[in-house]
Amino acid sequence: FPCALCSPSPPFLFLCTIFPLNLPLLFLLLLVFCTLSASYSSQLTSNRRALSGKNPVSPPLFLRGGSSGSPVSPKMSDTPAADAVNIENVDDGPSDKERAQAAKARGNAAHQKGTNEGYQEAVVAYQEAIRLDPSDHVFHSNLCASYLELSKAKWKAPEVVDAAARAVEAAKQCTCLNPTWLKGWLRLSTAEEALLQAREKWEKEKKRKGEREKSKWDEEEEARNGPPFEVTEPTILATISAASLAACETTCRAGLKLDPTNAQLKLRLQALRDDGHKTNTDEDKALVSEELAAPLKAEGNAAFSAKKFKDAAEKYTAALSHNPFEKIFYSNRSACYVELDECHKALSDADMCLALDPSFAKGYSRKSAALFQLGRYPEAQAAAQAGLEVDAASAALQQLLAAAKVETAETPQVQQRLHELRAQKRKDEKLKQMLSGLNLGNNVKMFNGMNMAGPGGL
């Protein structure tokens, strides 16, 4: 029934009329309704403040996880700052530079195997390192080294020249990235020298194949191994074509600006001179070091006295690398080459000796001896006579002149035959000397039939 408390509220009076006996229940429902309304109003106020920048937004209770302990994914922090810290600390794995270093380590391990397969694996690994970090000059240097070893391991001329050209390209990139790193110039000079040698052999092979028809053996080889390898990449072909002794000299000069005493680069310059390339005279004079050349000459003299002619020639070459203007070094090395039966080199050194000092009588004796051993007896006689005009008392020149006159007294055909016999005798003596070190026993009989190393022969 109505009362003074509910009379101002018609809805409540209506409920009391309907449920006159359930007033406690009605009061309880009213209390719950007011509590929920207050909570909702408080949440709206909080959201308005967050939007205006006065208070950060707290995620609703159901997103943060309630007292029920139900899992929430992904978990969010109460503040954006905390979320930023969590995102910053996420581990994305190794960086490109770290992965590049790991690829380099794999390449080093593969290169150290010392096999053709190992060098190929190293090339792939170094290329991966370069792709991940192209700015590291060491990767390009290592790639050059692996290509150089591949050029030595391969035997087909096109494959050799291709590998050498790729070594040059890698070394050039290395020197571009770090022009103050001496090792890069050393690698480039080595690669350029290898490319020049490989290109020369390749050109000779192409010429030889062009002069003969395709044989059955060629067809069988193609059937086994497929068509022959051909160099087709334009950049590699351009590198092969651009290779020259002058370019190699430029590389050596660049390295010697960093280290004027570097023995390897100075030896390479001397090799260019020995190949007939005329290097820059003024720059050569600036690199002369008599202090470094003198002990090498002494070592060469000792080796020559011990009949170690190859070692002596190497010592004289090293001495020339420090002073290419010393005629004595060329004269002494010419004598070594005569003993080694490398008479074309001996003649070249004799000519260089005389070019440096035309009044040096021993230079004429070196030239006459080289020409005599080449079977060019009239020229040997002329060289000896020219030397005697400089030094008429030279016993060596007098002996050479007398020997040459004996040969020139014969017809050219006889001279040629005598030269062939002498050349064959020298070859036989070399072969005998080589076999003497094989310990074949006392029954070895050389050059008198088939009785070699026992009753059955070889």
Side-chain angles (χ1 to χ4, degrees):
F1 51 82
C3 63
L5 180 63
C6 63
S7 58
S9 178
F12 189 77
L13 178 62
F14 175 74
L15 291 174
C16 290
T17 306
I18 297 176
F19 305 105
L21 302 178
N22 294 321
L23 287 177
L25 178 61
L26 290 174
F27 277 106
L28 180 61
L29 290 172
L30 181 61
L31 181 62
V32 171
F33 176 79
C34 293
T35 302
L36 291 175
S37 297
S39 176
Y40 180 73
S41 176
S42 175
Q43 185 66 39
L44 286 177
T45 303
S46 176
N47 289 346
R48 289 191 186 99
R49 290 179 178 178
L51 291 173
S52 63
K54 296 180 180 179
N55 197 32
V57 179
S58 298
L61 186 63
F62 68 89
L63 287 178
R64 289 181 286 163
S67 59
S68 63
S70 59
V72 177
S73 179
K75 183 176 179 180
M76 296 177 63
S77 62
D78 292 337
T79 64
D83 287 339
V85 172
N86 291 338
I87 292 173
E88 187 176 343
N89 290 334
V90 171
D91 184 8
D92 292 330
S95 66
D96 284 349
K97 287 185 178 293
E98 291 172 335
R99 291 164 60 198
Q101 290 296 330
K104 173 194 171 187
R106 292 197 305 273
N108 292 348
H111 185 93
Q112 290 172 1
K113 292 179 182 177
T115 63
N116 190 20
E117 293 75 13
Y119 299 135
Q120 290 175 341
E121 293 174 10
V123 164
V124 173
Y126 292 138
Q127 286 174 336
E128 179 184 350
I130 291 170
R131 178 180 59 80
L132 293 167
D133 184 9
S135 64
D136 195 321
H137 62 279
V138 176
F139 300 159
H140 297 274
S141 173
N142 290 5
L143 179 62
C144 170
S146 293
Y147 272 130
L148 281 173
E149 294 300 329
L150 276 176
S151 71
K152 298 175 187 176
K154 296 180 181 295
W155 60 275
K156 293 183 178 180
E159 295 179 356
V160 174
V161 77
D162 179 80
R166 293 182 187 278
V168 169
E169 285 297 300
K172 283 183 177 179
Q173 189 63 31
C174 172
T175 56
C176 286
L177 290 170
N178 191 350
T180 63
W181 194 49
L182 178 62
K183 193 172 185 178
W185 297 107
L186 289 168
R187 284 271 163 84
L188 180 56
S189 66
T190 302
E192 287 175 331
E193 182 182 43
L195 177 56
L196 287 169
Q197 294 174 354
R199 187 181 66 181
E200 183 180 2
K201 293 180 180 179
W202 187 37
E203 290 174 348
K204 287 181 179 179
E205 181 177 294
K206 287 193 295 184
K207 183 179 180 181
R208 186 171 61 252
K209 285 185 176 181
E211 292 175 349
R212 65 177 175 84
E213 295 181 359
K214 193 172 185 180
S215 66
K216 184 178 180 181
W217 185 87
D218 294 329
E219 296 175 354
E220 291 176 352
E221 184 183 20
E222 288 187 18
R224 289 192 306 268
N225 305 322
F229 177 83
E230 293 185 5
V231 183
T232 57
E233 192 172 327
T235 56
I236 298 302
L237 288 171
T239 300
I240 295 170
S241 177
S244 67
L245 296 174
C248 192
E249 180 185 357
T250 301
T251 298
C252 293
R253 301 290 185 195
L256 287 168
K257 287 181 180 179
L258 300 175
D259 180 10
T261 64
N262 187 272
Q264 185 175 341
L265 289 174
K266 294 180 84 172
L267 275 171
R268 188 145 289 128
L269 275 179
Q270 182 57 39
L272 296 177
R273 299 183 196 105
D274 293 338
D275 286 338
H277 176 67
K278 185 174 177 56
T279 56
N280 187 291
T281 302
D282 294 334
E283 294 188 10
D284 285 341
K285 288 180 178 179
L287 293 172
V288 168
S289 174
E290 296 181 1
E291 293 79 10
L292 294 174
L296 291 167
K297 175 195 173 186
E299 293 175 13
N301 292 347
F304 189 91
S305 299
K307 298 188 182 300
K308 297 179 180 179
F309 303 116
K310 184 177 180 180
D311 293 341
E314 291 175 355
K315 293 298 181 181
Y316 293 135
T317 300
L320 280 166
S321 71
H322 294 295
N323 186 2
F325 303 101
E326 179 52 67
K327 60 182 181 293
I328 298 295
F329 300 161
Y330 281 109
S331 173
N332 290 2
R333 193 173 66 167
S334 177
C336 293
Y337 285 144
V338 166
E339 296 293 340
L340 292 168
D341 200 21
E342 298 182 32
C343 300
H344 289 286
K345 291 182 178 181
L347 179 59
S348 177
D349 277 0
D351 286 334
M352 281 297 300
C353 176
L354 291 172
L356 290 169
D357 187 358
S359 64
F360 186 54
K362 187 173 283 190
Y364 293 99
S365 66
R366 302 301 189 204
K367 183 172 184 177
S368 180
L371 289 166
F372 188 94
Q373 200 153 317
L374 286 169
R376 295 159 60 175
Y377 304 119
E379 294 176 74
Q381 180 177 336
Q385 288 173 335
L388 287 170
E389 292 177 3
V390 174
D391 183 7
S394 173
L397 285 169
Q398 291 173 359
Q399 292 175 0
L400 285 166
L401 178 60
K405 284 183 174 180
V406 171
E407 304 304 321
T408 55
E410 304 291 344
T411 63
Q413 293 78 9
V414 173
Q415 292 179 34
Q416 178 63 28
R417 181 56 181 161
L418 288 172
H419 168 63
E420 292 172 356
L421 291 172
R422 290 190 179 99
Q424 185 60 50
K425 182 180 179 181
R426 289 194 298 269
K427 289 180 182 179
D428 290 347
E429 289 175 349
K430 280 189 176 181
L431 181 59
K432 184 177 181 180
Q433 187 177 12
M434 290 172 57
L435 294 177
S436 65
L438 299 179
N439 194 21
L440 298 177
N442 296 326
N443 291 329
V444 178
K445 294 183 180 180
M446 299 294 297
F447 320 115
N448 60 347
M450 297 300 295
N451 185 16
M452 298 179 66
L458 296 177

